[in-house]
Amino acid sequence: MATLKEISAELGLSVTTVSRALNGFPEVKEHTRVKVRETAERMGYRPNRIAQRLVTGRSGMVGMIVKIKPDMSADQTFFEMLTGLTAALASRDTDLVLAVDQDSDPVTPYKKLLERDILDGFILNAPIVDDPRVTFLQDHGVPFVMHGQDRPDPTYPSFGIDNAQVSAQSVKLLANLGHKRIALINDELRHAYASERRSGFHAAMEQRGLSTDYVQNSATLESHGYMHALDMLSGSAPPTAFICASTVVAAGVMKAVHDRGLRVPDDISVMAHDDALPLTRAINFDPALTVTRAPLRDACSPLANILLDHLDGKPARELQVFQDIETIVRGSTGPAPKEV
Amino acid sequence: MATLKEISAELGLSVTTVSRALNGFPEVKEHTRVKVRETAERMGYRPNRIAQRLVTGRSGMVGMIVKIKPDMSADQTFFEMLTGLTAALASRDTDLVLAVDQDSDPVTPYKKLLERDILDGFILNAPIVDDPRVTFLQDHGVPFVMHGQDRPDPTYPSFGIDNAQVSAQSVKLLANLGHKRIALINDELRHAYASERRSGFHAAMEQRGLSTDYVQNSATLESHGYMHALDMLSGSAPPTAFICASTVVAAGVMKAVHDRGLRVPDDISVMAHDDALPLTRAINFDPALTVTRAPLRDACSPLANILLDHLDGKPARELQVFQDIETIVRGSTGPAPKEV
DNA sequence: CTGAAAGCGCTTACAG
DNA sequence: CTGAAAGCGCTTACAG
């Protein structure tokens, strides 16, 4: 493998100039730059990243720790995210080191990886409310980007959707259709996103003078959606619309509606937030599911770039970005039924 | 972070001596070594891996490329392997860089990763017969370890099970129980392991003068096991025993036996090779499944060590290791039924 | 047993 | 616009 020294010898230039030409410094004469680049190309030069890393003090590697869920439901998602992140990082000469979290304490795997002294930063996902990883990494001065936010006004770089907005948009859609008793089948509140959806839901409902009696915050298996919906629909003044944490939950809810002898959307409207996972496609529902939508895979590139920009010195305040949310109206929502 | 220079200044020793003391060189005086180690500890010294890597010419990173299967059946396995490999590599100061193969050409992802010039070698898995990755990597002088073998006498380091032996042990067990018509429900022959199982099966059967009429080489979903078994059992002289590629296939076979109104093991014996995956546990079958067994997770540590030993200069011939295979007899195998 | 020196392949003030 | 020099933090002949 050719080195800077070899190129400079070949051309009778200094290593300094060759380095500058290759790195696109403006002070190099055009003619020199061209000659250097041609020669580098011809000699098959590729910079030694290790040397670059030693001198710049950066390792060119960032870490991500994945938590194994017992149900392993997110596998396809995982691979999709992995692919996207790897590609986005590679385009900026950075590699991803992956570790698996098998510890009970959430910060232990970060501590372990940190002790190896090879990482410039971390990509965190699945924040819980007041995530202990945030305190730990900030205390140790370790840069990271969070996919999502663990608190309302974070001091770290983040990318994710505005979950209060997800609820607000959903409530608005349903309220405009005349629904008054709207249910929220939410995830457990320790998940930051679920907590935000709940707040957003409360705010949007109360603003319209609507009751927030129909809220469930629990795990988000299909069976939970089914059970909660069944339960709510058997009350005396049942909800006429359901906002679901995910398309999986919506599948359970729609089954419950059906089992109660009711129809979607004539009797009951159902909508969900859709991360655009390949497993449960909202469009394949019968009727096709109305959703707020923000594809998970669209987060890969922003996450990578935000972290790397932060490593390059960009302050955290400028690196809190929200993903756009679409609202897609399909067949599962309709006007509220006439009250009897 | 303390450096060698700081420690040497603190102690009035040369950087050279400090380096040698820390790296356990024998020529350092015991007293010096102790002092150096204490001081390093006290100052919180941790070697700068990037610097070590620059001077040793090693990057301390190895790559693995995972191929996404559409069915994603191997997820749990994947995470288990990832965990094991990461830990085994970390104990030898090496990190794993993971990439996802989305290309049609099997060598393209290796080429891409190689161009980033950051890897010391690769861990390959799921070899197909005469695997093109082998030629590619060998041509480029890139070290690797293969989980399994793509040909009978490979010239590269490898770790895996002796698949001919798997078949041999299975046939022996069943033949000793008096079975004469033994079926093999095998994976597609392009997979190296399946090809080896088939050869081993043929050799073992022919050695006993038994016919090898009942062999199927196809994908290994449960449904394939079911269909092939149903098919074979409807013939005029049906097999009395089945050797299955995996526990998943065995599940299909046992269902077929049941649907034919036959019983395991009274009418039909069934056995499988068991990689000890958490998903389909042989012991939970009814009756519990007789198996040849070699846990996949036991391969992690050997794979890591073989690759690293190879990088340290150990020749490939000494690095072709086979994993032990147990035979565990449970309730799904029994004496061959009396011929009518 | 210990140390001064060279070097791994880069980047980047500093000087001209 | 270009170059000589220092330095990133280590390892390792070579000399004593």
Side-chain angles (χ1 to χ4, degrees), chain B:
Chain B
M1 191 99 39
T3 65
L4 284 191
K5 198 152 87 175
E6 286 165 25
I7 298 176
S8 66
E10 175 87 7
L11 288 170
L13 285 167
S14 73
V15 169
T16 311
T17 302
V18 173
S19 170
R20 283 197 278 240
L22 256 19
N23 288 311
F25 280 47
E27 63 265 38
V28 179
K29 194 162 49 165
E30 181 59 20
H31 174 241
T32 312
R33 185 199 322 285
V34 171
K35 248 188 1 191
V36 169
R37 295 222 162 137
E38 280 174 2
T39 310
E41 170 90 4
R42 179 164 53 76
M43 297 176 72
Y45 174 75
R46 290 205 298 266
N48 181 322
R49 306 220 175 276
I50 302 286
Q52 287 178 325
R53 289 164 186 188
L54 178 59
V55 66
T56 59
R58 295 253 298 256
S59 76
M61 301 201 278
V62 300
M64 189 164 77
I65 290 169
V66 296
K67 212 175 166 70
I68 305 192
K69 302 182 199 153
D71 66 343
M72 283 283 89
S73 62
D75 289 325
Q76 186 89 25
T77 318
F78 168 77
F79 281 104
E80 222 174 72
M81 289 292 282
L82 180 61
T83 309
L85 284 174
T86 304
L89 291 168
S91 74
R92 290 182 67 176
D93 280 333
T94 304
D95 299 290
L96 183 65
V97 171
L98 210 67
V100 177
D101 175 7
Q102 347 173 61
D103 296 283
S104 51
D105 177 40
V107 309
T108 305
Y110 292 86
K111 204 177 294 180
K112 278 187 196 159
L113 212 46
L114 227 42
E115 275 166 4
R116 302 188 36 64
D117 286 324
I118 49 155
L119 295 183
D120 294 328
F122 281 101
I123 297 173
L124 305 196
N125 61 5
I128 61 169
V129 174
D130 293 327
D131 203 302
R133 299 174 297 174
V134 168
T135 320
F136 173 77
L137 292 174
Q138 286 184 332
D139 283 355
H140 289 74
V142 181
F144 64 90
V145 62
M146 177 77 90
H147 187 200
Q149 305 192 328
D150 79 320
R151 64 198 69 188
D153 282 301
T155 54
Y156 52 78
S158 67
F159 183 82
I161 59 179
D162 182 339
N163 282 295
Q165 193 54 36
V166 166
S167 294
Q169 286 189 20
S170 305
V171 168
K172 184 176 171 193
L173 177 81
L174 294 169
N176 286 348
L177 286 166
H179 293 275
K180 306 222 175 300
R181 295 190 302 279
I182 303 174
L184 174 67
I185 312 291
N186 199 19
D187 204 341
E188 298 169 68
L189 290 179
R190 64 191 172 87
H191 295 294
Y193 91 93
S195 173
E196 292 163 25
R197 296 243 180 115
R198 180 175 163 281
S199 311
F201 179 78
H202 276 251
M205 293 295 276
E206 281 157 13
Q207 179 195 325
R208 290 172 174 81
L210 299 176
S211 139
T212 54
D213 288 347
Y214 295 102
V215 175
Q216 278 292 345
N217 311 288
S218 72
T220 53
L221 299 179
E222 184 174 332
S223 57
H224 291 87
Y226 179 79
M227 285 179 348
H228 289 313
L230 214 54
D231 203 44
M232 290 180 178
L233 288 172
S234 61
S236 59
T240 61
F242 286 84
I243 299 173
C244 304
S246 68
T247 51
V248 171
V249 170
V253 169
M254 282 176 72
K255 193 178 289 182
V257 171
H258 180 262
D259 285 3
R260 272 260 161 250
L262 298 167
R263 288 159 309 161
V264 175
D266 310 68
D267 303 309
I268 305 286
S269 287
V270 178
M271 64 182 296
H273 181 73
D274 183 7
D275 292 313
L277 304 181
L279 292 168
T280 322
R281 314 237 303 118
I283 204 162
N284 294 336
F285 278 64
D286 182 24
L289 197 60
T290 294
V291 294
T292 50
R293 185 170 183 278
L296 261 192
R297 62 176 157 276
D298 291 357
C300 295
S301 189
L303 281 170
N305 286 319
I306 286 171
L307 177 56
L308 295 177
D309 287 348
H310 189 49
L311 293 176
D312 286 341
K314 204 161 169 185
R317 302 97 256 247
E318 301 171 26
L319 294 171
Q320 279 142 7
V321 186
F322 285 105
Q323 185 172 358
D324 290 337
I325 309 160
E326 294 176 277
T327 300
I328 304 181
V329 182
R330 298 202 184 90
S332 69
T333 45
K338 303 273 177 285
E339 291 287 335
V340 278

Side-chain angles (χ1 to χ4, degrees), chain A residues 4 19 23 45 48 52 55:
Chain A
L4 285 191
S19 169
N23 288 312
Y45 173 76
N48 180 322
Q52 287 178 323
V55 68

